[in-house]
Amino acid sequence: MGAYLSKRLSYIMIILAAASLMIFCLYAMTPGDFISSNIKLSAERKAELREIYGLNRPVLERYWTWLTHALRGDLGYSLAQQRPVLALFNTYIWNSFLLAVVSTFFTWVIAVIVGVVAAYRQYSWFDTLVMIVIFGAMSIPSFFIGLFLIKIFAVDLHLLPPGGITTTGSNAVGWAHVQEVIKHMTLPVAVMTLLGTGSLTRYFRSNMIDVIRQDYIRTARAKGVKESKVLFGHALRNAMLPAITLVGFELPALFGGSLIIEKIFNWPGIGQLYIQSFGQRDYPLLMGFTMLIAILTVIGTLLSDVLYRIADPRVKL
Amino acid sequence: MENLLRVNRLSTHFHTDEGTVKAVDDISFRVGKGETVCIVGESGCGKSITAMSIMGLIQAQGASGVTGGTIEFGGEDLLKLGKNELRTLRGSEISMIFQEPMSSLNPVMTIGEQLTEPLRIHRKLNRKAAAKRAVELIAQVGISRPEQIMDSYPHELSGGMLQRIMIAIAISCGPKLLIADEPTTALDVTIQAQILDMLRRFKDESEMSIMLITHDLGVVAEMADYVIVMYAGKIVEEGEVEVLFDDPKHPYTRGLLRSKPVLGQLQDELYSIPGQVPDPLELTESCYFHDRCEFCMDICRVKGPPLRGVGERQKTACWLYEEANVHA
């Protein structure tokens, strides 16, 4: 295990080094920059600013400067927001994380339970109903469901706020603040859960169908194990194994934000900031964010490999 | 001998898109206390389905299942019991071991977890007491270092050891009936003998009855008190083991016995029964063996023979003997 981990960590370093070079070059070599999009500036002023920001240096030199700073924990300065990139991340990412972690939790819990029951009662009316609902939910675009729910719950029924993370002008603190945030996140979390549950339910259903046909499930029943324990104890443990791969992918998704949902519900998350920065060619922020996702992705894969080792005794690292 | 299990006119049918498969078709037999009954037949003749019907595992597998008959066990009809009542019998009063030890144990649970489970469910032992009993059971089935085995996973053990563990699980709650579905088929010949010896030893120690399903006549000769021969979902012949081996009546039983190699006897070619087991979907009213039978008569093609006594200790379902009975 120790030898494996050190080997994997050295691979990760190589991968991240290559990724950082590619990410930097991609943005640095894209035609145009933050300054060129500002039509109010004269050509002399633009050249002056490029000199100040160091944008007229060779790409490799700029990469080296960026990399050495990044290694020291400094991802640079957002040109559009005029704040350090890391400070911006710290403000926005946690908002996105809040939505993602709650909806991921609900998505997995619902998908596991519904998937297991649908597999157990394969081709029953319940299974058929689940399939219809899933296909329905999967084929309707998120912006439509989002707007539709806003129309019903916010506009017509006045039950929930239509967007934002707190009520405008509110300065509630403590428990009142928590309640306010929960109210605001209900709709976006509902939409995200609705969209994510479909494919995951189908995934668990098919895994489960494979597992409940296995001999060891018959053995468990022959031992007199309760049916619920056969399903959620004996079978689910095996059906969950392939899903560990997905856990690795969930990690970057937890911090990556959601472009469409955050836009619709005006949620101050990293996804909105990201899209906005694209429009402004705020490359330091974009580079930093892409790099962060790259780091989370490789950590996620390592994490899922280690989890496999823990969950499946047959896997040796 | 007192009856432990009495299967009366049991039928298990499966409804498929192509038609109804009569996997088990109106069979009756009994297993006495402390008796070993062997059910013999080719693959697909309904042996395993009979066992699964008794265990109440057919419905659980999602099929249409048992369509008729009674299964009396200790005076109660198992088919009339509720799900939970039947479940409390499974693993404690009736237990079962299977053909493939390699796939019959859960790959992500330790041997200890799987072995203590029936003890905790049926004997209501706490974790510690169950673990202690499990260690004893592992030692009883002849595996050394039982404590270490408790923490092992199935993939770390050999097929023979896994089948021993399966036996340990099966006997853990002192069952009255052990159903063994081809318990030695997947094992080496040397291991087979050890497993059979062990089953016999436990049977003698605890007055357990065994219902042994096999296609191996060597196993039958070694284990059985009473033999039931099945063909295409029906019982074609049954009898006490010496009688049946000495004087098989049904042409199918004769064929089975002839197709078994005999030590010290030089044979140019091993006998095999011509033809194949009929397609269960295409069975019509007839003796299902007629197209493979060298004695096939006209009546065999149109009417199925009933199972009737031939002599004191044997029954057969064959028109050859029916006629003899009529004339005598």
Side-chain angles (χ1 to χ4, degrees):
Chain A
M1 189 84 172
Y4 171 81
L5 273 184
S6 55
K7 202 170 95 184
R8 272 301 290 269
L9 285 174
S10 58
Y11 288 164
I12 284 181
M13 289 307 147
I14 297 168
I15 292 169
L16 287 180
S20 69
L21 183 64
M22 281 173 66
I23 289 168
F24 188 89
C25 289
L26 191 72
Y27 288 115
M29 291 158 114
T30 314
D33 53 28
F34 179 65
I35 294 150
S36 61
S37 59
N38 193 335
I39 47 164
K40 282 186 237 159
L41 298 174
S42 64
E44 294 79 42
R45 182 67 188 142
K46 280 184 178 170
E48 209 179 340
L49 279 173
R50 288 213 173 87
E51 179 67 34
I52 293 170
Y53 288 140
L55 294 174
N56 53 356
R57 303 275 164 75
V59 170
L60 277 183
E61 191 192 322
R62 285 163 58 199
Y63 168 65
W64 187 248
T65 316
W66 180 73
L67 185 69
T68 45
H69 280 81
L71 285 175
R72 270 180 267 137
D74 174 14
L75 284 176
Y77 209 72
S78 160
L79 300 171
Q81 314 286 328
Q82 292 296 315
R83 280 177 68 196
V85 169
L86 269 182
L88 283 168
F89 284 175
N90 204 20
T91 321
Y92 286 89
I93 281 185
W94 295 114
N95 291 340
S96 292
F97 179 76
L98 184 64
L99 281 191
V101 80
V102 175
S103 69
T104 306
F105 172 78
F106 283 122
T107 306
W108 279 69
V109 170
I110 295 171
V112 165
I113 295 173
V114 176
V116 167
V117 177
Y120 182 56
R121 306 210 176 284
Q122 196 185 357
Y123 306 133
S124 67
W125 64 266
F126 176 80
D127 187 30
T128 316
L129 186 75
V130 165
M131 285 305 119
I132 293 171
V133 171
I134 281 173
F135 280 119
M138 282 169 82
S139 46
I140 302 169
S142 56
F143 61 83
F144 178 80
I145 298 185
L147 292 174
F148 186 66
L149 291 186
I150 290 176
K151 159 99 172 87
I152 294 177
F153 290 101
V155 180
D156 293 346
L157 299 174
H158 297 290
L159 282 175
L160 293 163
I165 190 166
T166 50
T167 314
T168 317
S170 154
N171 41 19
V173 284
W175 179 235
H177 176 73
V178 172
Q179 277 182 312
E180 204 170 283
V181 172
I182 289 176
K183 257 191 159 177
H184 280 80
M185 65 191 282
T186 305
L187 280 183
V189 164
V191 175
M192 286 168 85
T193 308
L194 200 64
L195 293 174
T197 310
S199 52
L200 206 59
T201 304
R202 285 186 61 76
Y203 185 75
F204 279 118
R205 177 180 174 271
S206 66
N207 283 352
M208 203 59 191
I209 285 172
D210 288 342
V211 170
I212 54 181
R213 290 186 187 142
Q214 299 294 317
D215 288 350
Y216 52 80
I217 298 303
R218 185 182 59 187
T219 306
R221 289 190 176 127
K223 284 197 286 191
V225 177
K226 272 201 189 102
E227 201 59 25
S228 57
K229 215 180 155 216
V230 170
L231 283 182
F232 288 96
H234 287 255
L236 189 59
R237 249 155 115 171
N238 286 281
M240 287 292 273
L241 289 179
I244 291 176
T245 314
L246 298 182
V247 174
F249 296 126
E250 290 288 359
L251 190 70
L254 282 178
F255 296 93
S258 163
L259 308 181
I260 298 169
I261 302 290
E262 287 175 8
K263 194 84 201 160
I264 294 171
F265 291 97
N266 194 26
W267 189 265
I270 192 75
Q272 273 217 70
L273 182 68
Y274 187 64
I275 284 294
Q276 190 188 333
S277 306
F278 253 112
Q280 297 162 329
R281 294 182 183 163
D282 190 356
Y283 290 146
L285 192 145
L286 296 176
M287 285 173 187
F289 184 69
T290 317
M291 196 62 213
L292 181 75
I293 295 299
I295 293 170
L296 289 172
T297 306
V298 287
I299 292 177
T301 8
L302 175 65
L303 190 73
S304 64
D305 285 355
V306 173
L307 279 177
Y308 257 121
R309 171 69 188 85
I310 295 167
D312 190 343
R314 289 165 295 185
V315 175
K316 291 269 182 291
L317 293 183
Chain B
M1 203 183 312
E2 202 182 332
N3 280 343
L4 176 70
L5 176 77
R6 223 189 125 73
V7 173
N8 199 16
R9 309 206 64 174
L10 176 75
S11 292
T12 303
H13 297 177
F14 297 96
H15 302 291
T16 66
D17 291 341
E18 287 90 43
T20 302
V21 176
K22 296 179 178 174
V24 173
D25 190 8
D26 191 14
I27 67 167
S28 306
F29 64 92
R30 52 175 289 281
V31 178
K33 273 193 181 141
E35 191 184 26
T36 302
V37 171
C38 280
I39 300 186
V40 202
E42 286 168 88
S43 336
C45 69
K47 297 170 296 188
S48 297
I49 301 295
T50 307
M52 300 298 270
S53 303
I54 295 170
M55 288 294 281
L57 290 176
I58 294 285
Q59 290 86 342
Q61 304 259 320
S64 37
V66 178
T67 45
T70 57
I71 302 172
E72 273 171 49
F73 177 80
E76 265 187 307
D77 185 0
L78 296 184
L79 295 176
K80 291 209 175 67
L81 289 184
K83 261 188 192 167
N84 269 322
E85 290 168 299
L86 191 57
R87 186 175 61 73
T88 51
L89 288 183
R90 278 205 297 264
S92 63
E93 303 272 293
I94 313 175
S95 55
M96 187 161 177
I97 54 178
F98 302 96
Q99 180 171 354
E100 288 288 340
M102 292 292 199
S103 58
S104 292
L105 287 160
N106 196 324
V108 300
M109 291 168 80
T110 61
I111 300 295
E113 278 179 86
Q114 306 191 50
L115 183 47
T116 50
E117 208 167 27
L119 293 165
R120 290 173 58 92
I121 297 171
H122 300 297
R123 289 274 172 272
K124 309 271 186 263
L125 296 183
N126 63 29
R127 193 176 293 273
K128 220 174 149 189
K132 191 165 160 270
R133 178 79 188 108
V135 169
E136 290 169 14
L137 282 164
I138 296 175
Q140 261 183 43
V141 292
I143 301 179
S144 50
R145 295 174 291 114
E147 286 87 3
Q148 200 183 328
I149 296 294
M150 287 285 283
D151 295 323
S152 305
Y153 287 94
H155 72 278
E156 293 165 328
L157 307 183
S158 68
M161 282 167 101
L162 291 174
Q163 196 61 299
R164 284 161 196 265
I165 297 294
M166 285 299 290
I167 293 174
I169 293 174
I171 63 165
S172 62
C173 297
K176 292 189 182 129
L177 174 67
L178 175 71
I179 302 176
D181 187 356
E182 308 250 10
T184 56
T185 307
L187 303 175
D188 286 344
V189 183
T190 46
I191 311 288
Q192 279 189 17
Q194 294 173 3
I195 297 286
L196 292 176
D197 274 346
M198 186 180 300
L199 286 178
R200 210 163 22 201
R201 202 179 76 227
F202 288 132
K203 190 196 99 163
D204 293 342
E205 283 168 9
S206 65
E207 291 206 325
M208 171 175 82
S209 308
I210 297 181
M211 189 177 132
L212 183 69
I213 293 168
T214 183
H215 63 262
D216 185 341
L217 290 165
V219 172
V220 177
E222 207 169 323
M223 299 289 290
D225 298 319
Y226 197 82
V227 186
I228 293 168
V229 183
M230 281 185 77
Y231 187 80
K234 279 190 172 295
I235 294 178
V236 293
E237 180 157 16
E238 57 174 89
E240 284 173 31
V241 64
E242 311 87 39
V243 186
L244 199 107
F245 271 69
D246 270 356
D247 183 17
K249 291 286 194 279
H250 198 283
Y252 177 64
T253 320
R254 288 189 195 170
L256 278 184
L257 286 166
R258 268 178 74 192
S259 51
K260 177 181 181 301
V262 180
L263 268 186
Q265 196 176 324
L266 204 61
Q267 282 165 299
D268 285 343
E269 203 179 321
L270 198 56
Y271 176 79
S272 69
I273 305 174
Q276 276 166 356
V277 184
D279 182 345
L281 286 166
E282 286 167 8
L283 291 176
T284 48
E285 176 66 41
S286 64
C287 168
Y288 298 153
F289 190 61
H290 75 90
D291 56 348
R292 300 174 74 184
C293 181
E294 47 187 318
F295 308 106
C296 179
M297 300 176 294
D298 288 341
I299 188 170
C300 306
R301 294 180 218 279
V302 291
K303 199 159 186 271
L307 188 67
R308 294 260 168 91
V310 181
E312 285 286 291
R313 303 189 293 171
Q314 200 172 3
K315 285 181 192 171
T316 192
C318 181
W319 288 119
L320 286 173
Y321 305 96
E322 197 69 23
E323 269 191 331
N325 281 346
V326 174
H327 293 302

